[in-house]
Amino acid sequence: EVAGAVAHEVVRLEAVAESVAGRGVEPDGYADAFRAAALDAVRRPGVVGVKSVASYRTGFDLDPVRPSAAEVTRAARVWLARGGRLEDPVLVRELLWTAVDLGLPLQLHTGFGDNDIRLHRTDPALLTDWLHLTAGTIPVLLLHCWPYQRQAGYLAAVFEQVYLDVGLTLHHVGPVRARAVLAEAMEITPFRKLLYSSDAYGLSEFYGLGALAFRRGLGDLLQERVDADELGLPDALRLARWAGADNARRVYRLSDGH
């Protein structure tokens, strides 16, 4: 209401899986129960995508192939008996492939995060084989990315389905350094693949800070290209609209008014 805009929901699939586990499902029924619950979740009004925090739970150095039903059952038997967070590599792989089946854009947290990640395992380049296997299916959005913004840009350049933002990063580097981070992210990222994100949480001021850092950083970089006669001003303004709104509208299939 304060923003004067419509809010849309992105379903975190680990939360769905953990909810299913809490219902007392049997190991051989886990996969079907999870898929059914995920499908119900994405059918709620206002849902436009799904998200995974696999980088927190296992990292991205996973076998890219979809696990067999027998593998999922064996892994579910151990996890359901133990309880706790979903951290089994086989079940995380099943979660990522279920996201493909759902057909909605998939957000993946990459790079910098809380202290429960192992940073070297959050490099999005580790997803390369999985991205090959899932080419032509769903959009994959790489969130935040630092210090792997260049790797994310490479993936966006060579895989049609890959997009990126550097949202969370900008809170930490601030408006002055935002330009440098964006410059690295944009070196080879197609302009139609760059998304704005504030990743606002906690303090309400983060919304304003994230927008300020992105706006100043992107504005400075585009002005630099205009001054160097690499871009005309109309093109620079068009690219700013793409990154600020139009790319997100397209990838999430939103109308112009949302």
Side-chain angles (χ1 to χ4, degrees):
E1 291 177 359
V2 171
V6 176
H8 299 280
E9 182 182 0
V10 175
V11 173
R12 180 177 288 188
L13 292 176
E14 284 84 2
V16 175
E18 289 157 8
S19 175
V20 168
R23 300 174 193 168
V25 65
E26 294 297 321
D28 59 357
Y30 166 78
D32 287 341
F34 170 60
R35 291 190 201 108
L39 188 58
D40 286 344
V42 302
R43 285 175 171 169
R44 294 195 297 258
V47 172
V48 297
V50 294
K51 177 180 180 178
S52 171
V53 289
S55 61
Y56 280 76
R57 305 301 180 82
T58 61
F60 293 135
D61 48 346
L62 297 166
D63 184 341
V65 177
R66 185 168 205 158
S68 67
E71 288 177 306
V72 173
T73 296
R74 286 196 296 271
R77 181 172 292 111
V78 174
W79 178 48
L80 295 173
R82 182 186 68 241
R85 302 197 314 173
L86 177 63
E87 297 178 327
D88 183 276
V90 171
L91 299 183
V92 169
R93 286 163 54 203
E94 177 68 9
L95 179 150
L96 294 176
W97 280 98
T98 299
V100 174
D101 296 340
L102 294 172
L104 293 177
L106 169 63
Q107 297 181 354
L108 292 174
H109 186 118
T110 68
F112 177 83
D114 299 330
N115 65 3
D116 57 344
I117 68 168
R118 299 298 178 265
L119 189 61
H120 67 287
R121 302 180 72 189
T122 70
D123 182 343
L126 295 170
L127 293 165
T128 299
D129 289 341
W130 184 79
L131 291 169
H132 276 293
L133 293 176
T134 58
T137 57
I138 59 171
V140 176
L141 298 94
L142 306 176
L143 310 187
H144 316 312
C145 300
W146 186 93
Y148 302 115
Q149 55 266 21
R150 280 178 161 157
Q151 287 89 327
Y154 159 75
L155 294 174
V158 300
F159 287 100
E160 180 59 32
Q161 75 267 39
V162 175
Y163 299 75
L164 67 92
D165 73 50
V166 289
L168 173 62
T169 301
L170 302 188
H171 288 168
H172 293 270
V173 302
V176 173
R177 287 293 297 166
R179 171 175 171 157
V181 172
L182 275 169
E184 292 183 349
M186 293 171 59
E187 284 172 339
I188 58 173
T189 300
F191 284 115
R192 62 190 177 85
K193 301 291 195 72
L194 178 66
L195 303 172
Y196 164 69
S197 163
S198 71
D199 192 53
Y201 65 94
L203 296 174
S204 60
E205 286 80 2
F206 279 163
Y207 289 92
L209 179 61
L212 175 66
F214 184 86
R215 186 169 62 247
R216 284 187 178 175
L218 182 64
D220 287 350
L221 291 168
L222 292 175
Q223 185 64 56
E224 185 177 85
R225 295 191 180 195
V226 170
D227 294 342
D229 204 25
E230 294 181 11
L231 283 176
L233 181 58
D235 286 334
L237 294 173
R238 176 167 53 90
L239 297 177
R241 286 194 300 271
W242 283 7
D246 292 348
N247 292 343
R249 289 193 183 107
R250 186 179 71 256
V251 74
Y252 291 110
R253 304 169 195 163
L254 304 176
S255 66
D256 287 346
H258 298 82

